[in-house]
């Protein structure tokens, strides 16, 4: 897990605190991998809906 997060940061991406919390929960067994994926996707979907759309690209 540490290596995967390091590789992500090297690539220029910084995991959110919520992502790190979910990752820790999966490692400790209080959340399943599938639940973490669903929760992350739901947060991304909610965030994308709240961002203004650039209609000039359509």
């Amino acid at each position: 897990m540490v290596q995967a997060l390091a590789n992500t940061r090297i690539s220029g991406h910084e995991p959110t605190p919520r992502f790190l919390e979910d990752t820790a929960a999966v490692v400790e067994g209080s959340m399943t991998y599938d639940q973490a994926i669903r929760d992350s996707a739901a947060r991304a979907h909610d965030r994308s809906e709240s961002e203004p759309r650039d209609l000039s690209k359509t």
Side-chain angles (χ1 to χ4, degrees), residues 34-47:
D34 289 338
Q35 184 63 46
I37 295 294
R38 283 192 300 272
D39 288 358
S40 181
R43 287 191 302 271
H45 179 73
D46 291 345
R47 187 177 61 236

Side-chain angles (χ1 to χ4, degrees), residues 7-42:
N7 289 340
T8 297
R9 288 181 172 119
I10 288 170
S11 297
H13 304 284
E14 187 61 35
T16 65
R18 182 58 200 253
F19 174 82
L20 296 174
E21 290 171 9
D22 288 353
T23 302
V26 170
V27 170
E28 72 184 22
S30 62
M31 177 185 274
T32 67
Y33 177 77
D34 289 338
Q35 184 63 46
I37 295 294
R38 283 192 300 272
D39 288 358
S40 181

